[in-house]
Amino acid sequence: MESENGESQVQIHLNTKQQHYAVPDVPYSIEASVTTSELTTFVNTLLEQSLSGDHKTPIEFDFLVLGIEYLRGRLCDHLREKSISFEDAIEIEYLERFPAPEPQDCLLHDDWVSAIEANGKWILTGCYDNTINLWTNKGAHILTIPGHTMPVKAVTWVSLDGDKGKFISCSQDQTVMLWDWSIENNSVECISVCKGHERGIDCVGVSPNRKRFATGSWDTMLKIWSTDSGETTAGTSKRSKTEDNSVKTPQITLQGHRECISAVQWMDDETLITSSWDHTMKVWDLSLEGIKTEISTNKSIFDASYSRLCRLIITASADKNLRLYDPRINQSSATLRNTYLGHQQWIQTVMWSTTEEYLFVSGSYDHQNKLWDLRSPKAPLYDLIGHGDKVLDIDWSNPKYIVSGGADNTVRVYKSRKALIKADHSDTN
């Protein structure tokens, strides 16, 4: 339809799940060339009218067109791209824009920070100076832990209970170390050294029941280990008091990848997913000790993250793009759901939110982290700046904080304000 000045117009229906921002449920005729900022102004004007002056502070909104994709750019361009008729009434859902994460502390290390994971108020990091470090999310340094003889490439928490913690570190020195941490005494003990890989270890993941963990290596092998420190090579139930640490061997070794395994994540206690430089992802069934599904891509995958909320996988590659896959579809050509554009260099790391089904974060060699909504493939929600060199790892295990480590020898902490409001966690910050 045409307006009086010849510009195209469309009819829209506005709806929201945030009822305190609801506007009258009537059709509205607007210019087809309207942008997000102009729609935001329009909705705020409607709110001001419907709330009789009670609505004073303008709200920033995002707009989801037909429940599929956020509007980025002009509405008319979006409709043409999706082959949607201008004669149809367009359903547009609006919601308050996710608030930008706030930069907090900068945790200085002596070398590149290549591995990071948060648990409550504690942050565990792995470094290129062969050390592991423990911090608070307020920037206080707790411990520097030597033990490895080459750079630490992956770390993960096994458990954190009261004044005790257990965590795992993996290194290019081909070993995995299992550590006990006494929070009260601020001391750590290596309780197991896990040996079996023949090249550097690049990734680690702990099962949901915390009884096993998996490692992936440059030797192309996936290995499954017990988190029980009493299970040793000799099969003894406990370590002797004279031993410094026990040597652990893998319970299962799985072969299938042809190049480095770049990420490993458990989907449930018997199923896990791996990604690799060999352009594939594999879903493994541990009860069968074999591959359940293989997803082939045309790019090396440097990181992958599976969401237990939306059951989708997001991957990072060197071609500057993130890709969304559905592992529930068996035909490889049908698994790619979307591609996300915005980084300028190699994307090294990616992770889903653990509480928000649509949100994930990524870190890149372009020195930037980005916060994404899976319904916004053309642009991220926010750029999280702060790093002065390439980003090597990112973590959102604690929904209140996004943390990232990089080649500028720092960990950056970003406070996630939306999650802080929604998440009900007992840790003290």
Side-chain angles (χ1 to χ4, degrees):
M1 87 186 47
E2 300 288 330
S3 63
E4 292 180 359
N5 58 11
E7 294 291 334
S8 294
Q9 286 196 319
V10 292
Q11 190 174 85
I12 64 171
H13 286 279
L14 293 168
N15 62 83
T16 182
K17 294 182 176 69
Q18 299 168 317
Q19 290 305 309
H20 52 294
Y21 294 139
V23 299
D25 185 16
V26 297
Y28 299 96
S29 292
I30 61 170
E31 299 293 333
S33 59
V34 69
T35 63
T36 298
S37 61
E38 291 166 339
L39 271 175
T40 292
T41 300
F42 181 65
V43 171
N44 274 283
T45 300
L46 293 175
L47 285 172
E48 189 173 358
Q49 294 171 353
S50 62
L51 296 178
S52 302
D54 290 338
H55 177 72
K56 297 178 181 178
T57 305
I59 305 298
E60 290 292 322
F61 291 106
D62 271 316
F63 297 89
L64 192 61
V65 181
L66 299 177
I68 299 172
E69 188 174 306
Y70 279 124
L71 179 64
R72 299 289 184 252
R74 301 190 306 169
L75 179 60
C76 57
D77 296 333
H78 182 97
L79 298 179
R80 291 189 187 101
E81 179 185 337
K82 304 298 181 184
S83 300
I84 300 169
S85 171
F86 282 50
E87 300 299 321
D88 295 339
I90 311 300
E91 294 288 337
I92 298 180
E93 178 186 345
Y94 60 98
L95 60 162
E96 187 176 4
R97 186 167 173 79
F98 187 99
E102 299 172 343
Q104 299 288 298
D105 295 283
C106 175
L107 285 51
L108 293 174
H109 292 65
D110 292 331
D111 209 333
W112 290 11
V113 183
S114 47
I116 187 166
E117 186 171 287
N119 191 336
K121 68 177 181 179
W122 308 108
I123 297 174
L124 181 66
T125 63
C127 219
Y128 260 70
D129 64 4
N130 311 344
T131 66
I132 308 152
N133 288 269
L134 281 162
W135 305 76
T136 72
N137 58 18
K138 296 296 185 182
H141 185 250
I142 306 302
L143 274 176
T144 296
I145 306 165
H148 288 288
T149 59
M150 293 184 72
V152 178
K153 295 302 298 292
V155 294
T156 189
W157 292 93
V158 178
S159 60
L160 189 61
D161 183 18
D163 62 355
K164 295 181 180 180
K166 181 184 284 189
F167 56 86
I168 297 167
S169 60
C170 304
S171 170
Q172 287 182 353
D173 66 12
Q174 305 177 19
T175 67
V176 181
M177 290 187 172
L178 192 61
W179 303 84
D180 268 346
W181 175 34
S182 170
I183 300 174
E184 183 179 5
N185 299 328
N186 196 27
S187 61
V188 296
E189 178 188 10
C190 179
I191 53 177
S192 295
V193 176
C194 307
K195 294 185 177 181
H197 282 294
E198 296 179 358
R199 294 186 67 186
I201 302 164
D202 212 54
C203 55
V204 63
V206 179
S207 64
N209 64 13
R210 322 312 283 177
K211 293 181 179 180
R212 294 190 287 183
F213 66 94
T215 55
S217 166
W218 283 88
D219 65 10
T220 74
M221 299 297 178
L222 172 67
K223 293 182 182 289
I224 312 300
W225 318 73
S226 169
T227 57
D228 180 6
S229 58
E231 185 176 303
T232 65
T233 301
T236 56
S237 61
K238 295 291 180 184
R239 292 184 293 127
S240 121
K241 292 183 179 179
T242 59
E243 289 179 302
D244 292 330
N245 45 54
S246 54
V247 175
K248 186 189 293 290
T249 55
Q251 294 179 330
I252 305 171
T253 295
L254 297 169
Q255 185 174 6
H257 284 293
R258 299 182 305 278
E259 294 188 43
C260 172
I261 298 176
S262 56
V264 57
Q265 188 175 351
W266 297 73
M267 302 171 76
D268 57 48
D269 289 326
E270 292 295 332
T271 312
L272 47 78
I273 188 162
T274 56
S275 65
S276 172
W277 286 55
D278 67 9
H279 300 192
T280 70
M281 288 182 286
K282 300 182 190 298
V283 179
W284 305 81
D285 186 334
L286 296 188
S287 62
L288 302 176
E289 296 190 11
I291 298 169
K292 184 178 180 180
T293 306
E294 179 173 308
I295 301 171
S296 297
T297 75
N298 61 357
K299 301 293 178 183
S300 291
I301 304 170
F302 303 136
D303 197 15
S305 181
Y306 170 75
S307 170
R308 294 190 180 98
L309 299 178
C310 67
R311 300 174 183 265
L312 300 173
I313 304 165
I314 194 77
T315 66
S317 298
D319 65 355
K320 311 173 188 177
N321 296 332
L322 296 144
R323 291 178 175 83
L324 184 71
Y325 292 90
D326 188 342
R328 295 165 293 185
I329 304 173
N330 290 323
Q331 294 81 11
S332 295
S333 61
T335 58
L336 179 62
R337 290 273 297 267
N338 227 327
T339 301
Y340 298 82
L341 313 175
H343 280 295
Q344 301 303 310
Q345 293 187 42
W346 175 324
I347 306 172
Q348 176 66 23
T349 177
V350 64
M351 185 176 179
W352 286 98
S353 165
T354 57
T355 57
E356 302 285 338
E357 66 176 313
Y358 297 112
L359 301 182
F360 59 92
V361 288
S362 61
S364 167
Y365 276 27
D366 62 13
H367 308 180
Q368 287 194 352
N369 300 314
K370 294 182 185 292
L371 172 61
W372 303 82
D373 188 299
L374 69 84
R375 299 164 296 183
S376 180
K378 294 185 178 65
L381 298 183
Y382 294 106
D383 295 332
L384 310 182
I385 59 175
H387 282 288
D389 207 331
K390 51 183 176 276
V391 180
L392 301 177
D393 201 12
I394 198 165
D395 181 74
W396 204 355
S397 298
N398 182 342
K400 299 179 183 180
Y401 293 90
I402 298 166
V403 290
S404 60
D408 57 1
N409 302 359
T410 72
V411 166
R412 299 284 172 169
V413 181
Y414 305 88
K415 186 177 180 182
S416 179
R417 290 192 288 151
K418 181 180 180 183
L420 185 60
I421 295 170
K422 293 186 67 174
D424 182 17
H425 287 262
S426 60
D427 57 291
T428 303
N429 292 305

